[in-house]
Amino acid sequence: MIGIIGGSGIYNIEGLKDIHWKTISSPFGTPSDALLYGKLNGEELVFLPRHGRDHKLSPGEINYRANIDVLKRAGVTDILSVSAVGSLKENLSPGTFVIVDQYIDRTVSRERSFFGKGCVAHVSMAHPTCRRLSRLIHQAAAHAGIGTVLGGTYLAMEGPQFSTLAESEMYRSWNCDVIGMTNIPEAKLAREAEMCYASIAMVTDYDCWHPEHDQVTVQQIIRILTENALKAQKLVKEVIPQIHNDLSGQSCSCRFALENAIITAPDNRDPDKIRELDAVAGRILKKG
Ligand SMILES: CSC[C@H]1O[C@H](OP(=O)(O)O)[C@H](O)[C@@H]1O
Ligand SMILES: Nc1ncnc2[nH]cnc12
C-alpha cells in the first residue's frame, strides 16, 4: 500500500476515486488528520495532509509519530512525501523538483523516535530515504516529461519562522541544497517503522540569501505551488503504478531496518512500551 503525505498546498490528490476518510487512532496521540482512502487509476492509496486539511498545524506542532503510526496501521509500506522547500543553490530555481537523498537535522523540539523508556533501538540513517523509491520517482517523472533532480541535501530547520540571513548563508556553506521544516523527524520515524520513504521537494523560493530575489514569503510559496500543482499531481499519477509493480520492494532494506537495531533484551523490555510499538515494530517484536 502506498501512502502520500501532502505538504503545504497539497491537501488532496486529484482524480482519486471511491474516496472515504477514515480516522485511525494511535497510541502516540493525534495524527494531523484522518486518512483519505481512494483509488488512482484503479490502484488503492492513502493520503494524509501533513498540516491537516485546513493547514492548522505548524511544522513543530505536527505529531509525526502518530502520523507514521497510523500509516503503518493502514498497511502502508511505501511513503511518498511531497513538500515545499526553499532553494540554497543558484541552479535549483523555483519550480524545480528535487528528490531528496540526505538530511541535516537542525530541528530542536520534536519527538524523533518511537523507541526509548523500556525498549531502546538504534536504526541506521546513513541513507535516510529509500533509494529504490527515489529512483522509481525519477524514472516515472522522466517518462512523464517532468524534470527532477535525483539527490539533494535537505536542511531541516525548526521554524515556523524562516531562517535569518546568517543561518541561510551557513547552510549554504554546508553545501545543503534545499531547506524545509517537516521532513525530519518524518524520515527518521519511517525508517524506525520499517517503511520505505522518499521525498519530492518542490522548490518554491530562494529563501533569503539570493541578492537578486526578495526574501521568501508565504504568498510567494503559494503562488509557485499553485503553478506547479498540476506537475506534482501528474508525477504522483505516473509513479503509483510503478511502485505497485515493483516487486523488489518486498526485499528492500528499509523494510528490515529493525533487524539488528533493538538493544534492550526481550526479558528486559517494558510490556507497556511493547504494546505501544505493536504496529511500527510488530514484525520484529513478534520474533521475540
Ligand atoms: C507554507 S511555507 C513553509 C512550510 O512549507 C513546508 O512544509 P511542507 O514540507 O509540509 O510542504 C515547510 O517545511 C514549512 O512547513
Ligand atoms: N525558505 C524556506 N525555508 C523553510 N521552509 C520552506 N518551505 C518553503 N520555502 C521554505
Side-chain angles (χ1 to χ4, degrees), residues 84-87 157 161-163 179-181 202 204-208 216 221:
V85 293
S87 168
M157 60 176 290
Q161 301 83 2
F162 292 116
S163 306
I179 181 163
M181 305 177 190
M202 306 190 294
T204 51
D205 54 85
Y206 275 114
D207 201 35
C208 61
V216 54
I221 290 174

